[in-house]
Amino acid sequence: MNELRVLILIPARYASSRFPGKPLAKISKKSMIQRVYENCLGIKDQLKNSVVCVVTDDERIEEHVLDFGGEVVRVDDDVASGSERIALALERFYSDTDWDFVVNVQGDEPLIESDLLSRLASYHEQSSFDIATVVKPFHGHEAEHIDANKVKAIYSPINGQCLYFSRAELPFYRDSVDIKDWFLHIGIYSYRPEVLKKFCKLSPSRYELIEKLEQLRALENGFTMGAVTTDMTLMGVDVPEDIEKLEGVLRERKIKS
C-alpha cells in the first residue's frame, strides 16, 4: 500500500457561471484552493510516492498557488470536464512516471481529508473497478435529497458498485415513507491511467449532456465504477452563499478542538 504511486490532480478553473473566481474565494482568511491543496498534501504521510498538483487554466490561480508554495501546472485548453483537463496534465507533465492511479479531486471540496484519499487508493487497488469514487450515506435530510446541486448515487452496498448518478430525487420512493435512505456522491475519482486516457477520447454521452455529469459518460460506455463510503463532513462549494456555511463548520470544529 505504501508503495502505491498516486497522482492527485486538482482541476481549478477561474470561470464559473454560478461563482466566478471560486478557487480564490477566501474561507476564514485562506483561499479555497489552498485549503484543498494542503488537505490533500497529507496523503504523503500514508503514500510516500504520491504527488499533489493543481491544474489550472488561469494565471491568477497559477500565481496564487505558487505564492503559497504549491505545485501547479497550466492546461489552457478549452475542455468539457475536469477529468479531461487532468488527462492533458498527465500526458504533458507527468507521463514519465508509471502511476498506479490518477485521482481527480474537485477544487471546491475544502473539507476533504487525505485519509479519505489514501483509503480510496487502497480500495481501488484491491478491486477490479475501472474507476473508484466516494459516496456518503444519508438518512433523511429531505432538503438535500431534492437539491439538484447534490448529486445522488444509485449505489449497491452488495458489491460496492455505482449503477447511476443523477441530480434528481433518487431513489424515488413510490410508497410514502417518513425517512428516506440515499447516497450522496462526492466528486472524487480515482482512475487507472489507461482508463482515464480512454475515457477522455470518448464523446460526451446522452445522459451526461442531459444531467451535466461527466461520470455518466463512463457508465454509458461500459466502464465500471466502485465506491468507498464515508461519514466525513464534506461540503462542496457551488455558490457564494456556501462560503458562510463552510466558515460555520470550521468555527464549530475549532470550538470542539
Side-chain angles (χ1 to χ4, degrees), residues 58-70:
D58 189 88
E59 183 179 3
R60 290 159 290 189
I61 296 173
E62 180 184 33
E63 290 180 353
H64 176 66
V65 175
L66 291 173
D67 284 345
F68 69 69

Side-chain angles (χ1 to χ4, degrees), residues 84 195-205 208 217-218 220-223:
E84 290 173 66
V195 171
L196 176 61
K197 294 173 185 176
K198 290 178 182 177
F199 169 79
C200 291
K201 290 178 181 178
L202 297 168
S203 299
S205 62
E208 174 189 8
R217 188 191 318 179
E220 287 183 76
N221 283 279
F223 291 110

Side-chain angles (χ1 to χ4, degrees), residues 161-194:
Q161 187 167 359
C162 295
L163 306 175
Y164 191 71
F165 300 90
S166 180
R167 298 183 182 278
E169 185 181 347
L170 294 180
F172 176 78
Y173 280 75
R174 192 188 70 170
D175 298 327
S176 178
V177 294
D178 294 329
I179 300 295
K180 299 177 180 179
D181 292 306
W182 56 284
F183 291 92
L184 175 70
H185 181 227
I186 308 299
I188 304 166
Y189 303 96
S190 174
Y191 291 95
R192 300 183 189 277
E194 66 277 9

Side-chain angles (χ1 to χ4, degrees), residues 134-160:
V134 180
V135 297
K136 181 174 181 176
F138 270 78
H139 188 61
H141 299 271
E142 181 67 19
E144 292 183 292
H145 195 210
I146 64 176
D147 186 348
N149 289 322
K150 308 297 183 185
V151 177
K152 276 66 72 174
I154 298 300
Y155 164 81
S156 171
I158 296 172
N159 60 6

Side-chain angles (χ1 to χ4, degrees), residues 7 10 18 24 64 68 92 94 105 108 110 115 123 126 145 147 164 179 182 207 210 214 216 245:
L7 177 62
I10 309 166
R18 290 180 294 177
L24 300 180
H64 176 66
F68 69 69
R92 295 173 185 175
Y94 294 103
V105 175
D108 56 5
D115 286 349
Y123 169 81
Q126 296 167 26
H145 195 210
D147 186 348
Y164 191 71
I179 300 295
W182 56 284
Y207 293 106
I210 291 173
E214 64 173 319
L216 294 179
K245 298 175 186 176

Side-chain angles (χ1 to χ4, degrees), residues 11-212:
R13 294 176 60 249
Y14 189 89
S16 169
S17 58
R18 290 180 294 177
F19 194 169
K22 181 165 62 170
L24 300 180
K26 290 292 177 60
I27 303 169
S28 297
K29 301 181 180 180
K30 187 179 287 190
S31 74
M32 179 158 56
I33 193 62
Q34 184 173 357
R35 288 187 177 277
V36 175
Y37 181 88
E38 291 178 349
N39 288 352
C40 290
L41 208 58
I43 196 173
K44 289 179 173 289
D45 294 333
Q46 293 94 23
L47 302 174
K48 62 182 181 181
N49 295 321
S50 59
V51 169
V52 179
C53 180
V54 175
V55 182
T56 188
D57 62 349
D58 189 88
E59 183 179 3
R60 290 159 290 189
I61 296 173
E62 180 184 33
E63 290 180 353
H64 176 66
V65 175
L66 291 173
D67 284 345
F68 69 69
E71 185 169 339
V72 59
V73 297
R74 283 282 290 277
V75 175
D76 293 346
D77 307 56
D78 183 17
V79 295
S81 69
S83 290
E84 290 173 66
R85 194 170 302 281
I86 69 165
L88 291 173
L90 171 65
E91 176 186 343
R92 295 173 185 175
F93 301 100
Y94 294 103
S95 60
D96 58 344
T97 299
D98 185 18
W99 301 100
D100 293 301
F101 302 110
V102 181
V103 179
N104 179 355
V105 175
Q106 302 300 312
D108 56 5
E109 283 283 356
L111 298 182
I112 189 71
E113 295 178 13
S114 60
D115 286 349
L116 178 59
L117 299 179
S118 60
R119 190 160 67 88
L120 177 64
S122 176
Y123 169 81
H124 204 176
E125 180 193 28
Q126 296 167 26
S127 79
S128 60
F129 291 116
D130 298 314
I131 305 167
T133 188
V134 180
V135 297
K136 181 174 181 176
F138 270 78
H139 188 61
H141 299 271
E142 181 67 19
E144 292 183 292
H145 195 210
I146 64 176
D147 186 348
N149 289 322
K150 308 297 183 185
V151 177
K152 276 66 72 174
I154 298 300
Y155 164 81
S156 171
I158 296 172
N159 60 6
Q161 187 167 359
C162 295
L163 306 175
Y164 191 71
F165 300 90
S166 180
R167 298 183 182 278
E169 185 181 347
L170 294 180
F172 176 78
Y173 280 75
R174 192 188 70 170
D175 298 327
S176 178
V177 294
D178 294 329
I179 300 295
K180 299 177 180 179
D181 292 306
W182 56 284
F183 291 92
L184 175 70
H185 181 227
I186 308 299
I188 304 166
Y189 303 96
S190 174
Y191 291 95
R192 300 183 189 277
E194 66 277 9
V195 171
L196 176 61
K197 294 173 185 176
K198 290 178 182 177
F199 169 79
C200 291
K201 290 178 181 178
L202 297 168
S203 299
S205 62
R206 171 180 169 81
Y207 293 106
E208 174 189 8
L209 292 172
I210 291 173
E211 298 240 27
K212 298 298 184 289

